[in-house]
Amino acid sequence: MTWRCTVLRAGRFRLDGGGMFGVVPKAIWSRMTEVAEDNTIPLECNCLLLERDGRRVLVETGNGEKWSEKERAIYHLQRRTVLDALAERDLDPGDIHDVVLTHLHFDHAGGLTRWAPDGVTPIPAFPNARIHVQEREWRDADANRAVMTRTYLRSHLDPVAEAVELADGEAEILEGIRVLPVPGHTWGQQAVLVDTEAGTVCFPGDVMPTVHHAGDAFNMGYDIEPYTNMGTKRDLLRRAAAEDWTIILDHEPGDPAVRVREDAERPGRMVLEPSTGAVTVAEDAVDAIDAIDAAD
């Protein structure tokens, strides 16, 4: 029995385009995506809901809800979380049995916790779930080893510490779900590989956050080791093409599901194309789409 996969839209946000494209000049990346007056570009928190035989697994949790109005304005955060996306599918947070994280930056792990009724105490958002992450990533997050000073946040990590299960390298964490180290963006980042009826679905995290990041030089300024990420991305794309994977792009605001092929006219260059069949993309409800913070 294979897993059924649904992409959940867990909230739009915006980050600085220069940060998102690293050494690539603005003259190039500004032709690829919309650029606001403050130099930010549109992004999405795409999560993956996996279902099989009554078991539900959530890959990634997005930004979550625990943000001040100032922070919402800085990041142009949509007032929407993965909990809203689950509710639209008539699912309660308690229905999630496992949460798998590629890494622990706030736009991936922020939704691990939510506010308690007092509005000031962070508590686990998924009270019945085990949290799966690489041991290296957990240790680095706990020590706040990052090029950004406020991306590994205690309010996302401490309340779930007792529920964490650590992987050490490549591993099958559940039948039909494997994790694979993909270092570069962080030292401990992992990709998630899922067996489906349509073949392997790969969720690679921030190895390649949007369709515009497939090229070798298109790495983020947020990457802890851009050169390492470039090599990781090359290997991942080659394997995806050879094994006909579907890749889910974690921050793509358009169609997040793609397949990879080699460009016949430029051997060695990989091209991303829209994919159909392996996953369902659950779009936001209309009222949630319009519920953008005024900072946008």
Side-chain angles (χ1 to χ4, degrees), residues 21 89 188 254:
F21 287 100
R89 300 186 67 79

Side-chain angles (χ1 to χ4, degrees), residues 12-28:
R12 298 198 298 273
F13 67 115
R14 303 180 73 95
L15 291 178
D16 181 79
M20 285 300 297
F21 287 100
V23 300
V24 176
K26 183 177 181 180
I28 294 176

Side-chain angles (χ1 to χ4, degrees), residues 198-260:
T200 298
V201 170
C202 174
F203 195 101
D206 276 347
V207 172
M208 185 176 57
T210 78
V211 294
H212 306 303
H213 286 83
D216 282 358
F218 288 76
N219 300 300
M220 291 186 283
Y222 309 120
D223 292 344
I224 200 130
E225 290 185 346
Y227 184 79
T228 300
N229 190 75
M230 182 172 65
T232 295
K233 180 166 52 179
R234 284 175 180 169
D235 292 343
L236 188 83
L237 288 173
R238 288 172 184 148
R239 184 175 175 186
E243 300 181 17
D244 198 26
W245 291 355
T246 294
I247 291 181
I248 307 301
L249 303 169
D250 61 347
H251 290 316
E252 172 56 46
D255 189 343
V258 298
R259 289 185 186 263
V260 184

